[in-house]
């Protein structure tokens, strides 16, 4: 029996160390209290911009994460068969040598044979750069199966999206709408914001099929049917347009609503902007009765009408196209009510409230500011309607267009980047054109032409070869998913297994539980990871995996690189990656080893740099081949992406007095530690609003190094890049999609936000056989699979029932704790259920990622997570049901490749309780490399 005692004395701590939480993606500041060299407790950092002292259940339970028995303790080499979980401890020298010997031949010969994918990685500034320097285009983090639709739709439409890109103006808003959010991503700030709204008696409208979490405390709940949010939003737009309740002045100033779009049915320029000889979009000036460049000062733009531009070219303003589209009766509340499950009266009432709040309750701040045309204004108008949306909207095959529709609604109300509305956080807004296009391979031993992930704008930027074959293993940036800004991680293993478009030699993953809750078709993925060729070799030849804990994925790797806990390593929450800024301030932060590891583990980022140096990757070694960085901390301080710009923006310059730009400061990390683990600097007063069009903000952003020249944003209501892909699908241009994808591109790539039925339901041979939807919600107390192994958080949720709507229970005679079979076109699971009426009547749901495989995460085999817990993943396939052309497509959004988790359609029937074990039930995994199989109790001895 192993024994370990945590300090239980009531005396105060010896020392407090301030760092950044990693118990979810939110990145709050925490004070870690130490006593006798052990963590005594964790509290929120009151000075920190993200949480201002607020700490959630997950954050305080970080102590149990740090001491978790499932922590990996040393590098491991597989000795049994893959999946058996049999390993032999090896030294770090041996582990690094092994990794390098597998990667070196690939680097020298064919870098794309390395597929390097990371999960909830908060160091993509490093990991993406490492992949670029290695020369493999096969890199992404987990965004493609999380919320890429939200991020990509926001960047393409207005230069930023929700969460890390911007936030509601909690202090001034007078009406708040939240879509598709249970408890995810922006965790503590949303809770704090909602309390501010409650204090001020501000109404919240929550749109979500399930009424839990934020939806449960909302003033009005819209229990929408999954996948129909776009239709609901377009119906609101229909109402606003019909009533003339849109902010025309705002649309003229800040959007492409007045731009002229060529109308030339069947022509190669149909749907493109009419442009002058310098390539500037044209606007029709009513006073001059002619087309002028959009950048011309003092014009009176026409918003309606068709104009003759000479030589037979006819064009209409974007606003006219928009009004024509959404005025259509198909978007009327009466016509969308049945599909969305929302009454026409409720839709009409919400549209009225939006318009009333935006226009009758406007906010005026008297403050001088100058726009990008050099015109000075003496006031700032606020339209106090704020919105927030996240994964529930995003994770559908129609998610990109739905996310765009929400942004269109915000913009029509004039509520973006103004007092009381939605406000960008630096370094956003940044137009999609200011982001690099995805880097292309440059040959063996050479870096990619740019970062592996980026934003493309025309077919010529696709990552496909001369025959149109995808260049990436996940087929991102191919005709199958052209705008896939975060890659398609959910397709990597199945494509590598199928050798489509080619096989890989090494699969290298970090913090991604791909053999369990992070994959669709988890059983199939396990089979793919263990499949062998006729010669007896694994189809995926080598798998390197790094994680801090013995997750289900560990058993499937050949080499394990054990990571530290988040309290034992350096990290930077960088402006080069996903910053923690506020609407009024720029900020970044660090993690640092507030505890020294007591095991033979190393921070993954340091290990990655060490492997890079051993491979001799450019930027990681000097001209003599010596490593440039001793470890990740050294990289954080000394790496410069370009002169003066490094991973951390604060305390730069030799003496630490510079912000944004400045030479490396050898004491930078200590300066962060001394400052509480973060750095923050206020945006100048005159630069705080209308950042997309504010001269003072743009100048300040250049000074800070966000970009090298001003990057104002014109909000793209009409997204011309989509029109270019539609034109290609209609046969125009040199870059042509494969024939079988043409109609899908024409149908889905509408330059104005559009709605189409989610693919899974649409492609079922018999849709009526699966009449219900099934979705997951993230519990407030847990963050993916990490949480459900945590000794404290497990006391909140130990298993996850399937919540079934009351009318279905009545029909099937179900009562609480009955067992049911749930089936989809792909599989069948047996689970325990509970009745609920706080849900859309056609939707059942469960908590995300509670179910565990027996033996994993150092939990006992009879832990409720493994006996009663379950995953919906077994019902979801990475491929859609067969289509008319006989082909099966990835279960993704056709524009971005976002994994369409929430398109799942199911049926349900009563089951016998049997042995009380949820199905499928997999064999027990070995407890691979965990520090202990003992139970962890705070304040008591560890005991079996
Ligand atoms: S919201 Fe997330 S980052 Fe903040 S304290 Fe909770 S777990 Fe930690």
């Amino acid at each position: 029996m192993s024994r370990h005692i945590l300090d239980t004395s009531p005396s105060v701590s010896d020392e407090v160390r301030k760092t950044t939480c990693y118990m979810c993606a939110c990145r709050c500041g925490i004070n870690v209290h130490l006593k006798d060299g052990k963590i005594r407790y964790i509290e929120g950092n009151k000075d920190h911009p993200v949480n201002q002292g607020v700490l959630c259940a997950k954050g305080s339970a970080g102590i149990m994460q740090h001491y978790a028995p499932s922590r990996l303790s040393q590098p491991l080499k597989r000795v049994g068969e893959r999946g058996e979980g049999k390993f032999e401890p090896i030294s770090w020298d041996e582990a690094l040598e092994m990794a390098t010997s597998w990667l070196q031949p690939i680097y020298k010969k064919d870098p794309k044979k390395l597929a390097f994918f990371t999960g909830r990685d908060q160091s993509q500034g490093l990991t993406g750069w490492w992949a670029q320097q290695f020369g493999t285009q096969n890199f992404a983090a987990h965004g493609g199966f999380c919320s890429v639709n939200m991020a990509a739709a926001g960047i393409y439409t207005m230069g930023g999206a929700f969460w890390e890109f911007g936030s509601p103006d909690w202090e001034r808003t007078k009406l708040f709408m939240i879509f598709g959010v249970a408890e995810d991503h922006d965790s503590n700030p949303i809770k704090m914001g909602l309390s501010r709204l409650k204090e001020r008696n501000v109404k919240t409208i929550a749109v979500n099929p399930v009424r839990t979490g934020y939806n449960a405390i909302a003033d009005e709940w819209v229990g929408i049917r999954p996948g129909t949010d776009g239709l609901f939003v377009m119906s609101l737009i229909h109402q606003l347009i019909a009533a003339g309740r849109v902010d025309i002045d705002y649309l003229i100033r800040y959007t492409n609503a007045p731009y002229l779009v060529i109308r030339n049915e069947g022509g190669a320029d149909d749907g493109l902007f009419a442009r002058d000889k310098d390539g500037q979009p044209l606007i029709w000036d009513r006073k001059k009765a002619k087309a002028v460049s959009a950048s011309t000062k003092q014009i009176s733009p026409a918003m309606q009408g068709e104009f003759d531009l000479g030589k037979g070219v006819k064009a209409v303003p974007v606003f006219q196209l928009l009004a024509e589209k959404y005025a259509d009766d198909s978007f009327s509340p009466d016509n969308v009510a049945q599909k969305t499950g929302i009454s026409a009266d409720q839709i009409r009432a919400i549209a009225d409230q939006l318009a009333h709040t935006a226009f009758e309750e406007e906010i005026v701040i008297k403050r001088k500011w100058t726009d990008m045309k050099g015109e000075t204004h003496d006031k700032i108008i606020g339209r106090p309607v704020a919105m927030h949306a996240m994964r529930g909207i995003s994770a559908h095959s129609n998610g990109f267009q739905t996310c765009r529709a929400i942004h269109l609604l915000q913009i029509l109300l004039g509520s973006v980047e103004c007092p009381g509305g939605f406000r960008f956080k630096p370094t956003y807004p940044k137009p999609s054109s200011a982001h690099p296009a995805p880097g292309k391979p440059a040959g063996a031993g050479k870096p990619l032409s740019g970062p592996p992930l980026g934003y493309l704008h025309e077919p010529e930027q696709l990552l496909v070869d001369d025959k149109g074959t995808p260049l990436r293993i996940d087929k991102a940036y191919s005709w199958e998913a052209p705008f896939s800004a975060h890659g398609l991680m959910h397709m990597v293993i199945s494509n590598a297994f199928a050798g489509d478009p080619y096989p890989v030699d090494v699969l290298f993953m970090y913090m991604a539980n791909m053999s369990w809750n992070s994959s669709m078709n988890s059983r199939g993925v396990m089979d793919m990871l263990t499949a062998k060729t006729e010669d007896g070799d694994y189809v995926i030849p080598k798998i390197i995996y790094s994680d801090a804990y013995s997750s289900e994925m560990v058993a499937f790797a050949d080499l394990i690189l054990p990571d530290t806990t988040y309290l034992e390593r350096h990290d930077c929450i960088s402006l080069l990656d996903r910053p923690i800024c506020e609407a009024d301030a720029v900020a970044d932060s660090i993690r640092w080893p507030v505890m020294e590891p007591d095991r033979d583990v190393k921070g993954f980022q340091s290990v990655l740099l060490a492997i890079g140096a051993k491979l001799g990757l450019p930027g990681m070694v000097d001209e003599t081949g010596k490593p440039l960085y001793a470890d990740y901390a050294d990289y954080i301080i000394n790496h410069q992406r370009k002169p003066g710009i490094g991973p951390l923006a604060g305390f730069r310059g030799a003496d630490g007095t510079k912000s944004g730009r400045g030479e490396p400061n050898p004491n930078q990390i200590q300066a962060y530690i001394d400052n509480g683990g973060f750095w923050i600097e206020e945006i100048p007063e005159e630069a705080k609003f209308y950042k997309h069009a504010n001269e003072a903000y743009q100048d300040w952003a250049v000074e800070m190094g966000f970009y090298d020249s001003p990057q104002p944003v014109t909000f793209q209501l009409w997204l011309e890049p989509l029109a270019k892909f539609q034109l290609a699908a209609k046969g125009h241009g040199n870059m042509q999609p494969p024939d079988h994808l043409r109609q899908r591109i024409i149908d889905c790539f509408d330059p104005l936000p559009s709605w189409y039925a989610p693919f899974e339901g649409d492609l079922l041979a018999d849709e009526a056989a699966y009449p219900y939807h099934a979705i997951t919600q993230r519990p407030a107390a847990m963050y993916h699979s990490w949480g459900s192994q945590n000794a404290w958080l497990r006391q909140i949720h130990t298993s996850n029932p399937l919540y079934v709507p009351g009318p279905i229970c009545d029909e099937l005679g179900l009562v609480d704790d009955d067992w049911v079979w749930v089936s989809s076109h792909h599989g069948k699971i047996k689970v325990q259920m509970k009745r609920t009426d706080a849900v859309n009547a056609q939707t059942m749901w469960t908590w995300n990622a509670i179910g565990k495989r027996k033996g994993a995460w150092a939990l006992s085999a009879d832990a409720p997570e493994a006996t009663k817990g379950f995953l919906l993943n077994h019902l979801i396939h990475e491929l859609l049901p067969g289509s008319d052309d006989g082909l099966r497509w990835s279960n993704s959004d056709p524009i971005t490749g976002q994994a369409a988790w929430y398109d799942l359609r199911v049926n349900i029937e009563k089951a016998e309780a049997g042995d009380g074990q949820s199905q499928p039930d997999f064999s027990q995994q070995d407890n691979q490399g965990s520090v202990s199989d003992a139970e962890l109790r705070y304040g008591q001895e560890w005991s079996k």
Side-chain angles (χ1 to χ4, degrees):
M1 180 195 297
S2 55
R3 293 166 68 86
H4 187 86
I5 302 173
L6 295 182
D7 172 42
T8 58
S9 75
S11 56
V12 294
S13 49
D14 300 328
E15 191 185 350
V16 178
R17 296 182 172 177
K18 297 177 184 238
T19 185
T20 305
C21 184
Y22 202 166
M23 290 297 287
C24 83
C26 189
R27 299 158 299 171
C28 298
I30 49 172
N31 301 340
V32 181
H33 289 248
L34 307 178
K35 173 86 175 157
D36 298 331
K38 294 240 167 358
I39 304 175
R40 180 73 176 84
Y41 69 96
I42 297 173
E43 66 176 347
N45 178 350
K46 289 192 175 60
D47 302 320
H48 199 277
V50 172
N51 57 320
Q52 296 154 35
V54 172
L55 194 71
C56 76
K58 306 181 290 278
S60 59
I63 184 169
M64 301 314 249
Q65 207 80 6
H66 178 76
Y67 290 114
S70 64
R71 282 170 298 154
L72 296 170
S73 56
Q74 61 217 318
L76 299 168
K77 175 174 87 174
R78 179 176 59 79
V79 291
E81 292 292 310
R82 253 194 218 155
E84 281 187 346
K86 291 195 177 131
F87 291 98
E88 175 181 292
I90 53 174
S91 69
W92 272 104
D93 282 348
E94 210 181 329
L96 294 180
E97 198 47 51
M98 191 180 282
T100 311
S101 70
W102 293 350
L103 295 172
Q104 190 85 54
I106 303 175
Y107 174 56
K108 290 268 163 66
K109 220 168 137 201
D110 193 0
K112 72 173 185 298
K113 293 295 185 79
L114 166 64
F116 176 37
F117 285 78
T118 68
R120 279 152 197 94
D121 167 18
Q122 290 184 359
S123 55
Q124 290 169 49
L126 169 72
T127 51
W129 176 73
W130 191 96
Q132 180 182 346
Q133 301 308 92
F134 187 91
T136 181
Q137 63 270 40
N138 291 323
F139 167 81
H142 84 290
F145 65 65
C146 186
S147 287
V148 64
N149 271 337
M150 206 78 253
I155 298 276
Y156 276 109
T157 306
M158 55 187 204
F162 300 111
W163 183 32
E164 292 154 314
F165 307 92
S167 74
D169 187 348
W170 299 111
E171 300 303 322
R172 300 184 185 89
T173 196
K174 297 178 185 175
L175 179 63
F176 178 57
M177 269 189 100
I178 186 165
F179 298 81
V181 184
E183 155 76 34
D184 58 25
H185 300 92
D186 204 5
S187 184
N188 273 345
I190 297 268
K191 287 177 220 144
M192 291 154 63
L194 289 172
S195 349
R196 291 290 296 120
L197 300 189
K198 292 275 172 203
E199 281 162 24
R200 295 197 294 115
N201 222 6
V202 170
K203 180 169 182 178
T204 296
I205 302 172
V207 184
N208 194 314
V210 183
R211 193 167 196 186
T212 59
Y214 308 146
N215 306 283
I217 61 158
D219 301 284
E220 182 172 346
W221 171 57
V222 182
I224 197 164
R225 186 176 175 187
T228 64
D229 307 79
L231 208 48
F232 164 62
V233 173
M234 287 170 216
S235 189
L236 296 174
I237 293 172
H238 171 93
Q239 289 297 99
L240 294 174
I241 286 178
R245 306 283 271 161
V246 296
D247 190 337
I248 291 288
D249 186 47
Y250 184 94
L251 296 177
I252 289 172
R253 282 179 190 280
Y254 305 128
T255 79
N256 66 11
Y259 286 16
L260 292 170
V261 176
I262 295 169
R263 252 188 183 166
N264 178 19
E265 184 74 41
D269 53 0
D270 186 37
L272 302 182
F273 293 133
R275 293 177 184 273
D276 65 13
K277 58 179 176 11
D278 299 323
Q280 290 297 312
L282 292 171
I283 288 176
W284 189 263
D285 188 329
R286 286 185 287 119
K287 284 199 183 136
K288 293 187 187 138
K290 67 171 190 176
V292 299
S293 161
S295 58
T296 312
K297 286 186 185 179
Q298 308 285 343
I299 46 177
S300 304
M303 299 294 269
Q304 284 173 310
E306 183 175 88
F307 303 97
D308 189 341
L309 304 184
K311 298 183 185 159
V313 178
K314 297 257 184 338
V316 293
V318 165
F319 187 75
Q320 159 111 7
L321 294 168
L322 188 153
E324 280 171 6
K325 179 178 175 102
Y326 301 111
D328 192 274
D329 202 40
S330 60
F331 294 116
S332 74
D334 291 317
N335 282 333
V336 306
Q338 200 192 348
K339 275 191 183 147
T340 57
I342 308 167
S343 76
D345 284 347
Q346 191 175 18
I347 297 171
R348 279 190 277 267
I350 292 172
D352 286 349
Q353 289 172 69
L354 291 171
H356 175 85
T357 311
F359 302 114
E360 260 71 67
E361 298 190 38
E362 76 172 25
I363 295 169
V364 177
I365 295 180
K366 293 219 178 306
R367 186 184 297 169
K368 272 211 162 73
W369 70 282
T370 304
D371 67 26
M372 295 304 291
K373 284 184 179 174
E375 292 172 4
T376 299
H377 309 267
D378 58 5
K379 63 182 177 189
I380 295 162
I381 305 283
R383 305 266 175 235
V385 174
M387 297 185 189
H388 179 79
M390 202 35 85
R391 194 160 182 244
I393 301 300
S394 192
H396 289 287
S397 52
N398 59 14
F400 179 81
Q401 291 285 21
T402 298
C403 296
R404 276 210 0 105
I406 293 174
H407 294 314
L408 174 61
L409 175 62
Q410 293 178 286
I411 293 167
L412 289 173
L413 291 167
S415 67
V416 173
E417 192 44 33
C418 69
F422 166 83
R423 299 189 57 205
F424 291 112
K425 300 173 178 177
T427 57
Y428 297 91
K430 190 154 87 175
S432 61
S433 54
H435 293 258
K440 298 199 170 180
K446 293 193 184 130
L448 300 178
S449 64
L453 300 174
Y455 287 78
L456 57 64
H457 295 86
E458 53 195 5
E460 286 68 21
Q461 293 172 314
L462 285 169
L463 292 188
V464 293
D465 69 12
D466 296 345
K467 296 192 185 91
T469 308
L471 294 183
R472 282 180 58 114
I473 188 70
D474 56 359
K475 305 189 184 179
Y477 303 112
S478 75
W479 292 103
E480 291 189 30
F483 293 66
S484 44
H486 292 182
L488 285 79
M489 188 153 171
H490 63 297
M491 296 307 298
V492 171
I493 291 172
S494 50
N495 288 356
F497 167 74
D500 175 20
Y502 45 77
V504 298
D505 288 344
V506 174
L507 180 63
F508 187 4
M509 291 194 154
Y510 172 52
M511 274 178 85
N513 201 15
M514 298 306 287
S515 70
W516 198 245
N517 57 286
S518 292
S519 276
M520 297 174 169
N521 180 22
S522 310
R523 180 195 292 271
V525 168
M526 290 180 230
D527 291 344
M528 293 174 208
L529 292 171
T530 50
K532 290 188 171 177
T533 64
E534 283 175 1
D535 300 335
D537 301 323
Y538 286 110
V539 174
I540 299 175
K542 299 276 191 298
I543 300 177
I544 307 173
Y545 185 55
S546 179
D547 202 324
Y549 304 100
S550 61
S551 66
E552 285 86 352
M553 181 62 196
V554 167
F556 294 88
D558 305 312
L559 172 64
I560 304 292
L561 306 173
D563 193 15
T564 63
T565 73
Y566 70 103
L567 298 174
E568 295 168 323
R569 67 155 177 264
H570 283 101
D571 262 334
C572 62
I573 320 299
S574 168
L575 298 187
L576 301 180
D577 187 359
R578 311 176 72 158
I580 54 155
C581 305
E582 297 295 303
D584 287 337
V586 57
D588 60 17
S589 61
I590 62 160
R591 292 192 187 93
W592 59 288
V594 297
M595 296 290 289
E596 284 302 322
D598 58 358
R599 310 163 313 291
D600 193 13
V601 298
K602 290 181 194 289
F604 172 70
Q605 293 75 10
S606 292
V607 171
L608 193 62
L609 285 165
I611 294 173
K614 279 172 94 65
L615 292 168
L617 299 188
M620 290 173 226
V621 287
D622 66 15
E623 51 292 345
T624 68
K626 237 176 88 219
L628 274 175
Y629 306 110
D631 55 19
Y632 191 38
D634 193 14
Y635 164 93
I636 290 171
I637 290 172
N638 291 308
H639 175 71
Q640 294 189 75
R641 199 51 60 88
K642 52 189 176 184
I645 303 292
L648 290 171
F651 310 110
R652 297 195 68 81
D655 59 358
T657 55
K658 293 183 182 165
S659 300
R661 297 178 190 265
E663 60 274 31
N665 165 14
N667 298 315
Q668 191 181 31
I669 287 184
Q670 190 57 48
Y672 272 79
I673 293 171
D674 295 343
N675 198 50
F678 65 95
W679 162 82
I680 186 163
E681 193 160 307
E682 191 90 355
I683 299 173
E685 207 61 17
E686 69 279 16
K688 282 184 175 165
F689 292 104
Y690 302 140
K691 298 183 186 88
H692 54 281
N694 183 326
E695 193 180 67
Y697 175 79
Q698 293 290 327
D699 290 346
W700 177 78
V702 171
E703 202 179 297
M704 293 297 290
F706 303 162
Y707 23 76
D708 291 333
S709 60
Q711 299 292 335
V713 186
T714 301
F715 299 156
Q716 303 292 303
L717 309 187
W718 182 270
L719 191 54
E720 193 185 38
L722 290 178
K724 291 182 178 175
F725 278 83
Q726 278 188 322
L727 285 172
K730 289 175 184 168
H732 300 290
N734 295 328
M735 294 287 287
Q736 287 293 299
D739 286 342
H740 59 266
L741 288 173
R742 287 184 192 276
Q743 196 55 49
R744 185 170 95 164
I745 292 171
I746 292 167
D747 292 344
C748 301
F749 286 51
D750 191 328
L752 286 173
S754 64
W755 186 83
Y756 47 88
F759 286 167
E760 179 166 322
D762 220 31
L763 287 171
L764 287 169
D766 178 11
E767 192 175 356
Y770 301 103
Y772 306 117
H773 303 262
I775 59 174
T776 55
Q777 300 279 289
R778 188 181 293 165
M782 288 183 178
Y783 178 59
H784 297 293
S785 50
W786 273 14
S788 44
Q789 57 133 357
N790 183 294
W792 283 351
L793 302 179
R794 289 185 66 218
Q795 295 174 39
I796 302 174
H797 303 275
T798 43
S799 63
N800 52 318
L802 182 77
Y803 291 97
V804 181
I808 301 175
C809 294
D810 292 342
E811 193 186 321
L812 299 179
L814 296 172
V815 295
D816 277 2
D817 300 329
D818 273 353
W819 288 81
V820 289
W821 284 106
V822 185
S823 54
S824 72
H825 79 96
H826 168 58
K828 210 166 175 185
I829 58 176
K830 186 179 144 188
V831 302
Q832 212 167 10
M833 55 72 61
K834 284 206 186 291
R835 180 190 179 107
T836 177
D837 288 309
V839 68
N840 170 277
Q842 291 167 297
T843 305
M844 45 203 76
W845 71 276
T846 191
W847 296 118
N848 183 34
I850 306 259
K852 297 268 185 264
R853 183 163 170 176
K854 288 188 172 122
W857 299 94
L859 297 180
S860 59
D862 61 354
E865 288 85 349
T867 54
K868 291 190 172 179
F870 68 91
L871 300 178
L872 283 186
N873 304 50
H874 302 303
L875 299 177
I876 306 173
H877 201 283
E878 72 272 17
L879 298 177
L880 288 164
S883 58
D884 288 345
D885 56 14
L887 298 166
R888 291 188 67 186
W889 304 118
S890 137
N891 187 3
S892 312
D893 186 301
I895 300 174
T896 60
Q898 153 95 54
W901 299 98
Y902 296 155
D903 282 2
L904 176 63
R905 296 291 294 268
V906 298
N907 205 346
I908 180 171
E909 59 187 305
K910 197 166 178 172
E912 293 300 319
D915 58 2
Q917 167 70 51
S918 63
Q919 298 292 337
D921 179 25
F922 294 88
S923 60
Q924 184 173 338
Q925 287 188 315
D926 269 358
N927 191 4
Q928 313 102 2
S930 305
V931 288
S932 166
D933 59 356
E935 214 171 275
L936 176 65
R937 290 173 193 273
Y938 182 78
Q940 295 180 27
E941 295 179 27
W942 280 18
S943 59
K944 212 34 187 150

